[in-house]
Amino acid sequence: FGGSEEEEREERGRGSRRSGNGLEETFCSMRLKHRTPASSADVFNPRGGRITTVNSFNLPILQYLQLSAERGVLYNNAIYAPHWNMNAHSIVYITRGNGRIQIVSENGEAIFDEQVERGQVITVPQNHAVVKKAGRRGFEWIAFKTNANAKISQIAGRVSIMRGLPVDVLANSFGISREEAMRLKHNRQEVSVFSPRQGSQQ
């Protein structure tokens, strides 16, 4: 069979052109599930609760979907630090318990301040400050965010924006004394999940 080797090479070339860029195989072999056990929480406070984030770093298919997720578990009367989503909108579905959610626009106008419970869905627009406080039964939610690697910026706590500002800037910005600015800056030593204050009630 003269030329059969050449035909074989040609056939192999045609087959590789048909296979495209391999993206189809990538989607088919991607992991579609990600477990979030308590031991893998991104933030954990033994008296307050935990926050776990799933993004394109630990579930790569989310890069193609441009989504990420956050699972929150707050214990009795605990607080998820006031923060805002820097690069995503957030859709929050309450999965267990009850609590209070407050949302404030970038102008400082309160747009939502309600008690919520299991089964409710709340939308938090990008750049709007939000705080969640658990009720007596605790509070759990899952939030879907419109960015594969959604980022937040905290307003209170050890890693907050307030902590990074000089005391004089805080005092002048809010029209308060230096002592009050120091208290504002160092009020909470916890990171994202605040344990309830003594005597805190819902």
Side-chain angles (χ1 to χ4, degrees):
F1 304 125
S4 67
E5 195 176 313
E6 192 176 301
E7 285 172 10
E8 203 174 300
R9 252 185 275 131
E10 214 172 280
E11 187 62 36
R12 275 197 305 258
R14 265 188 256 135
S16 66
R17 280 194 296 275
R18 275 197 300 268
S19 69
N21 62 7
L23 194 57
E24 296 86 3
E25 288 105 16
T26 302
F27 275 122
C28 291
S29 64
M30 278 191 163
R31 199 165 39 92
L32 299 175
K33 289 182 183 177
H34 183 76
R35 296 198 180 280
T36 58
S39 60
S40 71
D42 298 312
V43 176
F44 175 71
N45 179 334
R47 290 185 52 234
R50 62 187 181 273
I51 305 293
T52 307
T53 303
V54 179
N55 56 32
S56 69
F57 294 115
N58 48 22
L59 189 60
I61 197 165
L62 293 175
Q63 182 65 44
Y64 298 101
L65 302 174
Q66 279 301 296
L67 289 174
S68 58
E70 169 188 272
R71 180 168 184 244
V73 176
L74 293 180
Y75 305 151
N76 180 4
N77 291 322
I79 297 172
Y80 184 18
H83 64 277
W84 73 87
N85 292 301
M86 297 168 63
N87 61 350
H89 302 295
S90 182
I91 298 165
V92 181
Y93 175 70
I94 290 82
T95 57
R96 186 175 294 155
N98 69 318
R100 181 177 176 190
I101 296 180
Q102 294 175 295
I103 303 170
V104 177
S105 73
E106 68 275 8
N107 307 345
E109 177 188 346
I111 59 170
F112 187 84
D113 185 359
E114 303 268 334
Q115 295 290 328
V116 292
E117 57 188 34
R118 181 182 176 179
Q120 286 186 274
V121 176
I122 309 295
T123 301
V124 182
Q126 181 177 339
N127 297 323
H128 283 53
V130 60
V131 63
K132 298 177 181 86
K133 182 178 182 194
R136 293 184 182 168
R137 293 178 287 154
F139 186 39
E140 296 183 25
W141 72 90
I142 180 98
F144 298 98
K145 300 188 178 194
T146 60
N147 190 300
N149 296 303
K151 298 177 183 129
I152 67 166
S153 182
Q154 285 186 206
I155 303 168
R158 198 171 70 215
V159 294
S160 73
I161 190 169
M162 298 295 183
R163 197 51 85 87
L165 294 173
V167 174
D168 291 327
V169 171
L170 284 173
N172 290 327
S173 297
F174 293 107
I176 57 179
S177 70
R178 282 182 54 88
E179 293 75 28
E180 289 171 317
M182 281 295 285
R183 280 199 304 274
L184 176 65
K185 186 173 168 128
H186 299 287
N187 190 20
R188 287 280 194 165
Q189 299 306 312
E190 296 155 307
V191 178
S192 294
V193 177
F194 299 161
S195 51
R197 299 269 192 198
Q198 294 296 336
S200 172
Q201 292 183 3
Q202 181 74 14

